[in-house]
Amino acid sequence: MILGIVKGTVVATRKMQNLVGYKFLLVEPVYGTKRDMIVAGDTIGAGVGEMVLVTTDETTQHALDRPAPIDAFIVGIVDNPPTLSK
């Protein structure tokens, strides 16, 4: 599970049928020194600036309503984000 902050949206006007209905968000992990962005599918309504929980790898398929080629998926919005030191 990854804790991250939503930094933006990814717009795909054309995508395969299994991806229709999923919003894609750009998430920046909040741990470590490397700041690689993750593109994560979302159906719970996360927005830019919110701290979210992201599942990755084979566990992602358990969070989907239907099979889709997604390897990162937002599974929660953090209500009380921790104070993070840099």
Side-chain angles (χ1 to χ4, degrees):
M1 184 100 39
I2 295 170
L3 186 64
I5 297 176
V6 178
K7 294 294 184 173
T9 59
V10 176
V11 178
T13 55
R14 296 179 66 175
K15 51 190 168 188
M16 68 179 297
Q17 187 63 34
N18 289 16
L19 297 176
V20 173
Y22 292 112
K23 178 172 69 171
F24 294 104
L25 299 174
L26 206 53
V27 178
E28 181 180 33
V30 296
Y31 60 87
T33 57
K34 198 171 183 182
R35 295 292 179 204
D36 290 338
M37 294 286 191
I38 298 168
V39 176
D42 174 50
T43 58
I44 61 174
V48 175
E50 290 187 296
M51 186 172 284
V52 294
L53 296 171
V54 179
T55 186
T56 58
D57 303 323
E58 69 278 349
T59 59
T60 303
Q61 293 301 313
H62 296 288
L64 302 177
D65 294 334
R66 60 191 180 283
I70 296 175
D71 61 0
F73 197 72
I74 294 173
V75 294
I77 299 172
V78 179
D79 291 331
N80 296 311
T83 304
L84 303 170
S85 59
K86 295 229 174 194

